[in-house]
Amino acid sequence: MKPDLFQSPDYYLLDDLLTDEHKLVRDAARAWVKREVSPIIEEYAQRAEFPNQIIKGLGEIGGFGPYIPEEYGGAGLDQISYGLIMQEIERGDSGVRSTSSVQSSLVMYPIWKFGNEEQRMKYLPKLATGEFMGCFGLTEPDYGSNPSGMVTNFKDMGDHYLLNGAKMWISNAPFADIAVVWAKNEEGRIHGLIVERGMEGFSTPETHNKWSLRASATGELIFDNVKVPKENLLPGKSGLGAPMMCLDSARYGIAWGAIGAAMDCYDTALRYAKERIQFDKPIAAFQLQQKKLAEMITEITKAQLLTWRLGVLRNEGKATTAQISMAKRNNVDMAINIAREARQILGGMGITGEYSIMRHSMNLESVITYEGTHDIHLLITGADITGIPAFK
């Protein structure tokens, strides 16, 4: 296994905008990725297997709910710290970042924001360490970009709820201890329910034959007359706005994470271009390779500035859903284009597992689709600036 020689690009000296705490958090995550993820991730991606042994380490670096208050087991960090952790983890692998951000923003966040004190104390400390792993059930076989059409439902049976339906494309599902599931009650109102592994009628079949996010565990959630205790209903908020708030947090993390993947591809391509000799000189000396590299660092720098500003707005409670959509869409599109250009610089070597680029490229094909597709995020911006929704 080649050593992880990654050096983070900072063309506009953005480190000057970070606090000492931000840099400590980021550097700890970066060191952990170099030590625990980089040496093994290609092998696990080839095997299409999630490296379960890294879960404890993810918890230790703040990969699970870093912004959750300390009283519930979180680190009590700000939104920029959360983003930097996601950036470093996705620099290692998008699938590992998916595991982390699902746990943070789609499981811990709704329990923290919409749960009661008993639910917070029961679940959040164990989720923060990775003792419990969670997943988020919103997408259904027939309802992706239109989650309001969901058919998963629950009925009030007096002393419990009876849950029926199915969810798909669920990260962490195969090994999750709990699932935060969104379903309609008998009046058609969407609510969140905490479903625990072991409840009769609840199963999580794994999704196989993926060419993307191969080191991430993906599956379905099947509910066949599952009896859910009434105390497992999240009481703080109902309606589609509740899961959308969770997705805002997750999409924000993705905007940072995609920068990490782009950085890794750029850094790999830059190093290779300086070392690869053709026609008696390094290929970095040729104009077309310099064009690719110069455009890469320009786009990374723009994304860094966009996302840092979004982090400031998140810390101030000012960031809008539309602003988050813009950053998610822009940064993932940026990253996938950089991955493709970096692969070109490496030539044939770019498709091998000796380098990370093709794995990043395949992973980003999922990231550009999940938690709001590339096109839907564009239309969210369009609706925001015109006042006219085009997707209804």
Side-chain angles (χ1 to χ4, degrees), residues 1-8 26-41 61 88-89 91-93 264 267 271:
M1 172 58 62
K2 296 179 68 172
D4 184 343
L5 301 174
F6 174 73
Q7 293 184 340
S8 178
R26 179 199 62 197
D27 292 349
R30 181 174 297 164
W32 179 82
V33 167
K34 286 194 173 197
R35 185 177 66 251
E36 303 293 338
V37 178
S38 299
I40 65 167
I41 197 63
I61 64 165
E88 295 305 313
I89 294 174
R91 205 279 297 176
D93 187 76
D264 197 58
D267 182 65
R271 186 175 296 106

PDB file of all heavy atoms in Angstrom, residues 1-8 26-41 61 88-89 91-93 264 267 271:
ATOM      1  N   MET A   1       0.845  -1.199   0.000  1.00  0.00           N
ATOM      2  CA  MET A   1       0.000   0.000   0.000  1.00  0.00           C
ATOM      3  C   MET A   1       0.881   1.250   0.000  1.00  0.00           C
ATOM      4  O   MET A   1       1.790   1.387   0.811  1.00  0.00           O
ATOM      5  CB  MET A   1      -0.908  -0.012   1.234  1.00  0.00           C
ATOM      6  CG  MET A   1      -1.706   1.271   1.446  1.00  0.00           C
ATOM      7  SD  MET A   1      -2.765   1.709   0.055  1.00  0.00           S
ATOM      8  CE  MET A   1      -3.869   0.313   0.018  1.00  0.00           C
ATOM      9  N   LYS A   2       0.578   2.158  -0.955  1.00  0.00           N
ATOM     10  CA  LYS A   2       1.337   3.396  -1.035  1.00  0.00           C
ATOM     11  C   LYS A   2       1.021   4.291   0.161  1.00  0.00           C
ATOM     12  O   LYS A   2      -0.114   4.334   0.632  1.00  0.00           O
ATOM     13  CB  LYS A   2       0.984   4.121  -2.338  1.00  0.00           C
ATOM     14  CG  LYS A   2       1.375   3.358  -3.595  1.00  0.00           C
ATOM     15  CD  LYS A   2       0.969   4.111  -4.843  1.00  0.00           C
ATOM     16  CE  LYS A   2       1.764   5.381  -5.044  1.00  0.00           C
ATOM     17  NZ  LYS A   2       1.498   6.017  -6.344  1.00  0.00           N
ATOM     18  N   PRO A   3       2.015   5.019   0.660  1.00  0.00           N
ATOM     19  CA  PRO A   3       1.752   5.932   1.773  1.00  0.00           C
ATOM     20  C   PRO A   3       0.813   7.062   1.336  1.00  0.00           C
ATOM     21  O   PRO A   3       0.779   7.450   0.167  1.00  0.00           O
ATOM     22  CB  PRO A   3       3.142   6.467   2.119  1.00  0.00           C
ATOM     23  CG  PRO A   3       3.952   6.302   0.877  1.00  0.00           C
ATOM     24  CD  PRO A   3       3.415   5.056   0.216  1.00  0.00           C
ATOM     25  N   ASP A   4       0.054   7.585   2.284  1.00  0.00           N
ATOM     26  CA  ASP A   4      -0.854   8.695   2.028  1.00  0.00           C
ATOM     27  C   ASP A   4      -0.052   9.994   2.134  1.00  0.00           C
ATOM     28  O   ASP A   4       0.264  10.458   3.227  1.00  0.00           O
ATOM     29  CB  ASP A   4      -1.992   8.672   3.042  1.00  0.00           C
ATOM     30  CG  ASP A   4      -3.043   9.737   2.789  1.00  0.00           C
ATOM     31  OD1 ASP A   4      -2.755  10.697   2.042  1.00  0.00           O
ATOM     32  OD2 ASP A   4      -4.153   9.618   3.329  1.00  0.00           O
ATOM     33  N   LEU A   5       0.270  10.572   1.001  1.00  0.00           N
ATOM     34  CA  LEU A   5       1.113  11.771   0.947  1.00  0.00           C
ATOM     35  C   LEU A   5       0.308  13.056   0.811  1.00  0.00           C
ATOM     36  O   LEU A   5       0.863  14.123   0.529  1.00  0.00           O
ATOM     37  CB  LEU A   5       2.091  11.655  -0.235  1.00  0.00           C
ATOM     38  CG  LEU A   5       3.022  10.443  -0.213  1.00  0.00           C
ATOM     39  CD1 LEU A   5       3.830  10.386  -1.514  1.00  0.00           C
ATOM     40  CD2 LEU A   5       3.930  10.465   1.000  1.00  0.00           C
ATOM     41  N   PHE A   6      -0.999  12.988   1.033  1.00  0.00           N
ATOM     42  CA  PHE A   6      -1.879  14.126   0.784  1.00  0.00           C
ATOM     43  C   PHE A   6      -1.412  15.399   1.475  1.00  0.00           C
ATOM     44  O   PHE A   6      -1.056  15.409   2.647  1.00  0.00           O
ATOM     45  CB  PHE A   6      -3.294  13.793   1.273  1.00  0.00           C
ATOM     46  CG  PHE A   6      -4.256  14.941   1.200  1.00  0.00           C
ATOM     47  CD1 PHE A   6      -4.745  15.371  -0.016  1.00  0.00           C
ATOM     48  CD2 PHE A   6      -4.653  15.600   2.353  1.00  0.00           C
ATOM     49  CE1 PHE A   6      -5.638  16.434  -0.077  1.00  0.00           C
ATOM     50  CE2 PHE A   6      -5.542  16.658   2.302  1.00  0.00           C
ATOM     51  CZ  PHE A   6      -6.038  17.073   1.077  1.00  0.00           C
ATOM     52  N   GLN A   7      -1.424  16.482   0.690  1.00  0.00           N
ATOM     53  CA  GLN A   7      -1.196  17.824   1.216  1.00  0.00           C
ATOM     54  C   GLN A   7      -2.368  18.697   0.788  1.00  0.00           C
ATOM     55  O   GLN A   7      -2.690  18.794  -0.393  1.00  0.00           O
ATOM     56  CB  GLN A   7       0.119  18.403   0.684  1.00  0.00           C
ATOM     57  CG  GLN A   7       1.359  17.681   1.180  1.00  0.00           C
ATOM     58  CD  GLN A   7       2.640  18.344   0.712  1.00  0.00           C
ATOM     59  OE1 GLN A   7       2.650  19.109  -0.249  1.00  0.00           O
ATOM     60  NE2 GLN A   7       3.735  18.048   1.396  1.00  0.00           N
ATOM     61  N   SER A   8      -3.003  19.325   1.756  1.00  0.00           N
ATOM     62  CA  SER A   8      -4.232  20.071   1.480  1.00  0.00           C
ATOM     63  C   SER A   8      -3.937  21.387   0.766  1.00  0.00           C
ATOM     64  O   SER A   8      -3.127  22.187   1.238  1.00  0.00           O
ATOM     65  CB  SER A   8      -4.960  20.364   2.789  1.00  0.00           C
ATOM     66  OG  SER A   8      -6.123  21.126   2.548  1.00  0.00           O
ATOM     67  N   ARG A  26      -9.838  19.704  12.462  1.00  0.00           N
ATOM     68  CA  ARG A  26      -9.553  19.244  11.095  1.00  0.00           C
ATOM     69  C   ARG A  26      -8.294  18.391  11.043  1.00  0.00           C
ATOM     70  O   ARG A  26      -8.272  17.328  10.405  1.00  0.00           O
ATOM     71  CB  ARG A  26      -9.387  20.444  10.168  1.00  0.00           C
ATOM     72  CG  ARG A  26      -9.074  20.054   8.729  1.00  0.00           C
ATOM     73  CD  ARG A  26      -8.469  21.208   7.963  1.00  0.00           C
ATOM     74  NE  ARG A  26      -7.202  21.629   8.543  1.00  0.00           N
ATOM     75  CZ  ARG A  26      -6.623  22.798   8.296  1.00  0.00           C
ATOM     76  NH1 ARG A  26      -7.188  23.655   7.472  1.00  0.00           N
ATOM     77  NH2 ARG A  26      -5.464  23.114   8.853  1.00  0.00           N
ATOM     78  N   ASP A  27      -7.242  18.856  11.700  1.00  0.00           N
ATOM     79  CA  ASP A  27      -5.973  18.128  11.632  1.00  0.00           C
ATOM     80  C   ASP A  27      -6.068  16.765  12.302  1.00  0.00           C
ATOM     81  O   ASP A  27      -5.435  15.799  11.865  1.00  0.00           O
ATOM     82  CB  ASP A  27      -4.863  18.966  12.253  1.00  0.00           C
ATOM     83  CG  ASP A  27      -4.537  20.212  11.423  1.00  0.00           C
ATOM     84  OD1 ASP A  27      -5.025  20.309  10.280  1.00  0.00           O
ATOM     85  OD2 ASP A  27      -3.809  21.092  11.937  1.00  0.00           O
ATOM     86  N   ALA A  28      -6.859  16.681  13.370  1.00  0.00           N
ATOM     87  CA  ALA A  28      -7.053  15.383  14.030  1.00  0.00           C
ATOM     88  C   ALA A  28      -7.788  14.424  13.096  1.00  0.00           C
ATOM     89  O   ALA A  28      -7.429  13.241  12.988  1.00  0.00           O
ATOM     90  CB  ALA A  28      -7.824  15.559  15.331  1.00  0.00           C
ATOM     91  N   ALA A  29      -8.817  14.933  12.413  1.00  0.00           N
ATOM     92  CA  ALA A  29      -9.550  14.091  11.458  1.00  0.00           C
ATOM     93  C   ALA A  29      -8.651  13.684  10.299  1.00  0.00           C
ATOM     94  O   ALA A  29      -8.680  12.532   9.848  1.00  0.00           O
ATOM     95  CB  ALA A  29     -10.786  14.837  10.956  1.00  0.00           C
ATOM     96  N   ARG A  30      -7.835  14.619   9.824  1.00  0.00           N
ATOM     97  CA  ARG A  30      -6.933  14.321   8.687  1.00  0.00           C
ATOM     98  C   ARG A  30      -5.929  13.245   9.065  1.00  0.00           C
ATOM     99  O   ARG A  30      -5.684  12.305   8.297  1.00  0.00           O
ATOM    100  CB  ARG A  30      -6.220  15.599   8.248  1.00  0.00           C
ATOM    101  CG  ARG A  30      -5.280  15.400   7.057  1.00  0.00           C
ATOM    102  CD  ARG A  30      -4.733  16.735   6.582  1.00  0.00           C
ATOM    103  NE  ARG A  30      -5.804  17.598   6.111  1.00  0.00           N
ATOM    104  CZ  ARG A  30      -5.689  18.912   5.923  1.00  0.00           C
ATOM    105  NH1 ARG A  30      -4.536  19.519   6.183  1.00  0.00           N
ATOM    106  NH2 ARG A  30      -6.710  19.620   5.488  1.00  0.00           N
ATOM    107  N   ALA A  31      -5.357  13.368  10.251  1.00  0.00           N
ATOM    108  CA  ALA A  31      -4.377  12.378  10.694  1.00  0.00           C
ATOM    109  C   ALA A  31      -5.012  11.004  10.847  1.00  0.00           C
ATOM    110  O   ALA A  31      -4.409   9.979  10.495  1.00  0.00           O
ATOM    111  CB  ALA A  31      -3.744  12.827  12.013  1.00  0.00           C
ATOM    112  N   TRP A  32      -6.249  10.977  11.357  1.00  0.00           N
ATOM    113  CA  TRP A  32      -6.947   9.698  11.516  1.00  0.00           C
ATOM    114  C   TRP A  32      -7.232   9.054  10.160  1.00  0.00           C
ATOM    115  O   TRP A  32      -7.039   7.846   9.990  1.00  0.00           O
ATOM    116  CB  TRP A  32      -8.240   9.911  12.293  1.00  0.00           C
ATOM    117  CG  TRP A  32      -9.032   8.648  12.473  1.00  0.00           C
ATOM    118  CD1 TRP A  32      -8.824   7.689  13.424  1.00  0.00           C
ATOM    119  CD2 TRP A  32     -10.126   8.210  11.671  1.00  0.00           C
ATOM    120  NE1 TRP A  32      -9.742   6.666  13.266  1.00  0.00           N
ATOM    121  CE2 TRP A  32     -10.555   6.954  12.203  1.00  0.00           C
ATOM    122  CE3 TRP A  32     -10.795   8.744  10.573  1.00  0.00           C
ATOM    123  CZ2 TRP A  32     -11.618   6.238  11.656  1.00  0.00           C
ATOM    124  CZ3 TRP A  32     -11.854   8.031  10.023  1.00  0.00           C
ATOM    125  CH2 TRP A  32     -12.251   6.790  10.560  1.00  0.00           C
ATOM    126  N   VAL A  33      -7.670   9.855   9.188  1.00  0.00           N
ATOM    127  CA  VAL A  33      -7.943   9.323   7.846  1.00  0.00           C
ATOM    128  C   VAL A  33      -6.665   8.738   7.244  1.00  0.00           C
ATOM    129  O   VAL A  33      -6.672   7.647   6.664  1.00  0.00           O
ATOM    130  CB  VAL A  33      -8.545  10.412   6.934  1.00  0.00           C
ATOM    131  CG1 VAL A  33      -8.541   9.974   5.475  1.00  0.00           C
ATOM    132  CG2 VAL A  33      -9.968  10.739   7.374  1.00  0.00           C
ATOM    133  N   LYS A  34      -5.561   9.463   7.383  1.00  0.00           N
ATOM    134  CA  LYS A  34      -4.288   8.961   6.830  1.00  0.00           C
ATOM    135  C   LYS A  34      -3.872   7.645   7.487  1.00  0.00           C
ATOM    136  O   LYS A  34      -3.339   6.754   6.823  1.00  0.00           O
ATOM    137  CB  LYS A  34      -3.179  10.003   7.036  1.00  0.00           C
ATOM    138  CG  LYS A  34      -3.279  11.197   6.112  1.00  0.00           C
ATOM    139  CD  LYS A  34      -1.988  12.013   6.134  1.00  0.00           C
ATOM    140  CE  LYS A  34      -2.013  13.111   5.073  1.00  0.00           C
ATOM    141  NZ  LYS A  34      -0.682  13.654   4.774  1.00  0.00           N
ATOM    142  N   ARG A  35      -4.167   7.523   8.765  1.00  0.00           N
ATOM    143  CA  ARG A  35      -3.713   6.350   9.519  1.00  0.00           C
ATOM    144  C   ARG A  35      -4.667   5.162   9.396  1.00  0.00           C
ATOM    145  O   ARG A  35      -4.242   4.015   9.253  1.00  0.00           O
ATOM    146  CB  ARG A  35      -3.562   6.751  10.985  1.00  0.00           C
ATOM    147  CG  ARG A  35      -2.989   5.666  11.886  1.00  0.00           C
ATOM    148  CD  ARG A  35      -2.804   6.165  13.305  1.00  0.00           C
ATOM    149  NE  ARG A  35      -4.080   6.469  13.972  1.00  0.00           N
ATOM    150  CZ  ARG A  35      -4.503   7.690  14.257  1.00  0.00           C
ATOM    151  NH1 ARG A  35      -3.765   8.751  13.958  1.00  0.00           N
ATOM    152  NH2 ARG A  35      -5.657   7.889  14.870  1.00  0.00           N
ATOM    153  N   GLU A  36      -5.981   5.424   9.423  1.00  0.00           N
ATOM    154  CA  GLU A  36      -6.957   4.342   9.545  1.00  0.00           C
ATOM    155  C   GLU A  36      -7.766   4.062   8.289  1.00  0.00           C
ATOM    156  O   GLU A  36      -8.271   2.952   8.129  1.00  0.00           O
ATOM    157  CB  GLU A  36      -7.930   4.656  10.708  1.00  0.00           C
ATOM    158  CG  GLU A  36      -7.266   4.885  12.044  1.00  0.00           C
ATOM    159  CD  GLU A  36      -6.605   3.646  12.612  1.00  0.00           C
ATOM    160  OE1 GLU A  36      -6.995   2.529  12.202  1.00  0.00           O
ATOM    161  OE2 GLU A  36      -5.697   3.787  13.446  1.00  0.00           O
ATOM    162  N   VAL A  37      -7.916   5.049   7.409  1.00  0.00           N
ATOM    163  CA  VAL A  37      -8.773   4.862   6.231  1.00  0.00           C
ATOM    164  C   VAL A  37      -7.954   4.621   4.968  1.00  0.00           C
ATOM    165  O   VAL A  37      -8.162   3.619   4.267  1.00  0.00           O
ATOM    166  CB  VAL A  37      -9.719   6.073   6.038  1.00  0.00           C
ATOM    167  CG1 VAL A  37     -10.576   5.895   4.781  1.00  0.00           C
ATOM    168  CG2 VAL A  37     -10.614   6.244   7.264  1.00  0.00           C
ATOM    169  N   SER A  38      -7.027   5.504   4.679  1.00  0.00           N
ATOM    170  CA  SER A  38      -6.264   5.402   3.428  1.00  0.00           C
ATOM    171  C   SER A  38      -5.596   4.043   3.218  1.00  0.00           C
ATOM    172  O   SER A  38      -5.625   3.513   2.099  1.00  0.00           O
ATOM    173  CB  SER A  38      -5.212   6.516   3.355  1.00  0.00           C
ATOM    174  OG  SER A  38      -5.831   7.785   3.378  1.00  0.00           O
ATOM    175  N   PRO A  39      -4.998   3.434   4.246  1.00  0.00           N
ATOM    176  CA  PRO A  39      -4.301   2.162   4.015  1.00  0.00           C
ATOM    177  C   PRO A  39      -5.226   0.993   3.652  1.00  0.00           C
ATOM    178  O   PRO A  39      -4.762   0.000   3.105  1.00  0.00           O
ATOM    179  CB  PRO A  39      -3.590   1.895   5.350  1.00  0.00           C
ATOM    180  CG  PRO A  39      -3.489   3.221   6.013  1.00  0.00           C
ATOM    181  CD  PRO A  39      -4.733   3.941   5.607  1.00  0.00           C
ATOM    182  N   ILE A  40      -6.520   1.097   3.973  1.00  0.00           N
ATOM    183  CA  ILE A  40      -7.407  -0.061   3.787  1.00  0.00           C
ATOM    184  C   ILE A  40      -8.536   0.160   2.794  1.00  0.00           C
ATOM    185  O   ILE A  40      -9.161  -0.801   2.348  1.00  0.00           O
ATOM    186  CB  ILE A  40      -8.027  -0.491   5.136  1.00  0.00           C
ATOM    187  CG1 ILE A  40      -8.962   0.607   5.679  1.00  0.00           C
ATOM    188  CG2 ILE A  40      -6.941  -0.836   6.152  1.00  0.00           C
ATOM    189  CD1 ILE A  40      -9.841   0.168   6.832  1.00  0.00           C
ATOM    190  N   ILE A  41      -8.802   1.422   2.438  1.00  0.00           N
ATOM    191  CA  ILE A  41     -10.072   1.709   1.762  1.00  0.00           C
ATOM    192  C   ILE A  41     -10.153   1.109   0.362  1.00  0.00           C
ATOM    193  O   ILE A  41     -11.228   0.688  -0.076  1.00  0.00           O
ATOM    194  CB  ILE A  41     -10.347   3.239   1.744  1.00  0.00           C
ATOM    195  CG1 ILE A  41     -11.816   3.509   1.445  1.00  0.00           C
ATOM    196  CG2 ILE A  41      -9.412   3.950   0.778  1.00  0.00           C
ATOM    197  CD1 ILE A  41     -12.767   2.978   2.492  1.00  0.00           C
ATOM    198  N   ILE A  61     -13.095  10.955  16.617  1.00  0.00           N
ATOM    199  CA  ILE A  61     -12.692  12.209  15.960  1.00  0.00           C
ATOM    200  C   ILE A  61     -13.859  13.185  15.808  1.00  0.00           C
ATOM    201  O   ILE A  61     -13.718  14.250  15.203  1.00  0.00           O
ATOM    202  CB  ILE A  61     -12.054  11.958  14.583  1.00  0.00           C
ATOM    203  CG1 ILE A  61     -13.046  11.323  13.598  1.00  0.00           C
ATOM    204  CG2 ILE A  61     -10.777  11.137  14.713  1.00  0.00           C
ATOM    205  CD1 ILE A  61     -12.621  11.384  12.151  1.00  0.00           C
ATOM    206  N   GLU A  88     -12.570  16.119   5.612  1.00  0.00           N
ATOM    207  CA  GLU A  88     -11.447  15.206   5.796  1.00  0.00           C
ATOM    208  C   GLU A  88     -11.860  13.749   5.616  1.00  0.00           C
ATOM    209  O   GLU A  88     -11.120  12.954   5.037  1.00  0.00           O
ATOM    210  CB  GLU A  88     -10.813  15.429   7.166  1.00  0.00           C
ATOM    211  CG  GLU A  88     -10.184  16.793   7.331  1.00  0.00           C
ATOM    212  CD  GLU A  88      -9.170  17.102   6.245  1.00  0.00           C
ATOM    213  OE1 GLU A  88      -8.315  16.239   5.949  1.00  0.00           O
ATOM    214  OE2 GLU A  88      -9.230  18.214   5.678  1.00  0.00           O
ATOM    215  N   ILE A  89     -13.053  13.400   6.108  1.00  0.00           N
ATOM    216  CA  ILE A  89     -13.507  12.012   5.970  1.00  0.00           C
ATOM    217  C   ILE A  89     -13.761  11.681   4.505  1.00  0.00           C
ATOM    218  O   ILE A  89     -13.379  10.610   4.024  1.00  0.00           O
ATOM    219  CB  ILE A  89     -14.759  11.752   6.826  1.00  0.00           C
ATOM    220  CG1 ILE A  89     -14.411  11.880   8.315  1.00  0.00           C
ATOM    221  CG2 ILE A  89     -15.340  10.370   6.536  1.00  0.00           C
ATOM    222  CD1 ILE A  89     -15.614  11.787   9.240  1.00  0.00           C
ATOM    223  N   ARG A  91     -12.384  13.075   1.992  1.00  0.00           N
ATOM    224  CA  ARG A  91     -11.070  13.001   1.347  1.00  0.00           C
ATOM    225  C   ARG A  91     -10.600  11.550   1.345  1.00  0.00           C
ATOM    226  O   ARG A  91      -9.980  11.072   0.392  1.00  0.00           O
ATOM    227  CB  ARG A  91     -10.086  13.893   2.100  1.00  0.00           C
ATOM    228  CG  ARG A  91      -8.913  14.400   1.273  1.00  0.00           C
ATOM    229  CD  ARG A  91      -7.806  13.412   1.122  1.00  0.00           C
ATOM    230  NE  ARG A  91      -7.184  13.050   2.381  1.00  0.00           N
ATOM    231  CZ  ARG A  91      -6.235  12.146   2.497  1.00  0.00           C
ATOM    232  NH1 ARG A  91      -5.789  11.486   1.444  1.00  0.00           N
ATOM    233  NH2 ARG A  91      -5.740  11.846   3.688  1.00  0.00           N
ATOM    234  N   GLY A  92     -10.946  10.834   2.398  1.00  0.00           N
ATOM    235  CA  GLY A  92     -10.653   9.409   2.449  1.00  0.00           C
ATOM    236  C   GLY A  92     -11.578   8.595   1.573  1.00  0.00           C
ATOM    237  O   GLY A  92     -11.129   7.820   0.725  1.00  0.00           O
ATOM    238  N   ASP A  93     -12.889   8.796   1.734  1.00  0.00           N
ATOM    239  CA  ASP A  93     -13.857   8.064   0.914  1.00  0.00           C
ATOM    240  C   ASP A  93     -15.257   8.617   1.151  1.00  0.00           C
ATOM    241  O   ASP A  93     -15.661   8.853   2.295  1.00  0.00           O
ATOM    242  CB  ASP A  93     -13.838   6.571   1.263  1.00  0.00           C
ATOM    243  CG  ASP A  93     -14.703   5.757   0.321  1.00  0.00           C
ATOM    244  OD1 ASP A  93     -14.282   5.522  -0.818  1.00  0.00           O
ATOM    245  OD2 ASP A  93     -15.817   5.359   0.727  1.00  0.00           O
ATOM    246  N   ASP A 264      -8.349  15.590  -2.890  1.00  0.00           N
ATOM    247  CA  ASP A 264      -7.552  14.378  -3.006  1.00  0.00           C
ATOM    248  C   ASP A 264      -7.212  14.088  -4.459  1.00  0.00           C
ATOM    249  O   ASP A 264      -6.082  13.716  -4.777  1.00  0.00           O
ATOM    250  CB  ASP A 264      -8.300  13.198  -2.391  1.00  0.00           C
ATOM    251  CG  ASP A 264      -7.383  12.021  -2.101  1.00  0.00           C
ATOM    252  OD1 ASP A 264      -6.414  12.205  -1.350  1.00  0.00           O
ATOM    253  OD2 ASP A 264      -7.630  10.930  -2.637  1.00  0.00           O
ATOM    254  N   ASP A 267      -4.631  16.797  -5.588  1.00  0.00           N
ATOM    255  CA  ASP A 267      -3.311  16.568  -5.003  1.00  0.00           C
ATOM    256  C   ASP A 267      -2.626  15.364  -5.653  1.00  0.00           C
ATOM    257  O   ASP A 267      -1.423  15.407  -5.934  1.00  0.00           O
ATOM    258  CB  ASP A 267      -3.466  16.335  -3.492  1.00  0.00           C
ATOM    259  CG  ASP A 267      -2.137  16.144  -2.789  1.00  0.00           C
ATOM    260  OD1 ASP A 267      -1.338  17.085  -2.756  1.00  0.00           O
ATOM    261  OD2 ASP A 267      -1.900  15.024  -2.292  1.00  0.00           O
ATOM    262  N   ARG A 271       0.837  15.781  -7.976  1.00  0.00           N
ATOM    263  CA  ARG A 271       2.052  15.036  -7.640  1.00  0.00           C
ATOM    264  C   ARG A 271       2.471  14.141  -8.810  1.00  0.00           C
ATOM    265  O   ARG A 271       3.647  14.065  -9.159  1.00  0.00           O
ATOM    266  CB  ARG A 271       1.814  14.210  -6.375  1.00  0.00           C
ATOM    267  CG  ARG A 271       3.073  13.517  -5.861  1.00  0.00           C
ATOM    268  CD  ARG A 271       2.835  12.805  -4.545  1.00  0.00           C
ATOM    269  NE  ARG A 271       2.497  13.759  -3.494  1.00  0.00           N
ATOM    270  CZ  ARG A 271       1.279  13.920  -2.989  1.00  0.00           C
ATOM    271  NH1 ARG A 271       0.289  13.194  -3.424  1.00  0.00           N
ATOM    272  NH2 ARG A 271       1.056  14.815  -2.057  1.00  0.00           N
TER     273      ARG A 271
END
